[in-house]
Amino acid sequence: HALYPPNHPEILKTNVNLGACLNRAGRPSEAIPLLTIAHAERATTFGADHWSTFSARLHLIEAHLRTGTTNDAAALLNDARPVATALQEGTSKWSGPLHQAMHGAWLVRTGSTTEGFAELDTALGELRDRYGADNDYTRRVADLRRTAESW
């Protein structure tokens, strides 16, 4: 960390990657503080609707779901409302399958289940077509969809 300031993109990327590794290794409680800081720094540095902020948010949601802190996961989805609105209005410059998945999850969480699951399924299909079923993004969106089914 001595080479870069705390909010440098390389530090933020490293923190998100480390948090994701801890989460995948079955240590989500250790991942949450790191991912929380990384998510906040990315939102400050890049903006709430930037793809890298979304990536950190998705990892953080996954960690909360793995620890059973579903209210925290839901709060992160609710915090995504401006992103969801921009996507719905077509004004987000970061539109893509990952943001579409976040929007779909937000819709499910707020009661628009049919539309939300349709968006999640479209995003998941596009990710599978683009990257295959065994891709990290594809797996995370599939996990997000399974979790949304329990809401």
Side-chain angles (χ1 to χ4, degrees), residues 57-111:
R57 183 182 291 129
L58 192 55
H59 282 294
L60 185 54
I61 289 169
E62 181 181 12
H64 280 298
L65 293 173
R66 286 176 182 238
T67 61
T69 51
T70 55
N71 287 339
D72 292 329
L76 285 163
L77 284 170
N78 286 335
D79 288 344
R81 186 178 207 151
V83 176
T85 301
L87 287 167
Q88 200 168 33
E89 295 171 352
T91 58
S92 173
K93 62 184 175 185
W94 302 108
S95 296
L98 295 176
H99 281 89
Q100 184 176 19
M102 175 65 85
H103 183 239
W106 179 79
L107 286 170
V108 170
R109 188 67 186 165
T110 57

Side-chain angles (χ1 to χ4, degrees), residues 3-4 7 9 25 42 45 58 60 73 77 86 97 117 124-125 131 134:
L3 296 175
Y4 300 112
N7 65 343
R42 280 187 171 185
T45 303
L58 192 55
L60 185 54
L77 284 170
F117 282 119
L124 194 53
Y131 303 114
D134 196 33

Side-chain angles (χ1 to χ4, degrees), residues 39-62:
H39 175 256
E41 286 291 333
R42 280 187 171 185
T44 300
T45 303
F46 301 119
D49 70 340
H50 191 273
W51 67 269
S52 66
T53 304
F54 171 81
S55 176
R57 183 182 291 129
L58 192 55
H59 282 294
L60 185 54
I61 289 169
E62 181 181 12

Side-chain angles (χ1 to χ4, degrees), residues 119-134:
E119 290 212 18
L120 278 162
D121 291 341
T122 299
L124 194 53
E126 188 173 331
L127 288 168
R128 283 185 180 136
D129 290 346
R130 200 182 285 183
Y131 303 114
D134 196 33

Side-chain angles (χ1 to χ4, degrees), residues 1-16 34 36-46:
H1 291 297
L3 296 175
Y4 300 112
N7 65 343
H8 188 278
E10 288 299 318
I11 299 299
L12 299 177
K13 180 172 70 174
T14 300
N15 289 344
V16 170
L34 192 59
T36 299
I37 292 167
H39 175 256
E41 286 291 333
R42 280 187 171 185
T44 300
T45 303
F46 301 119

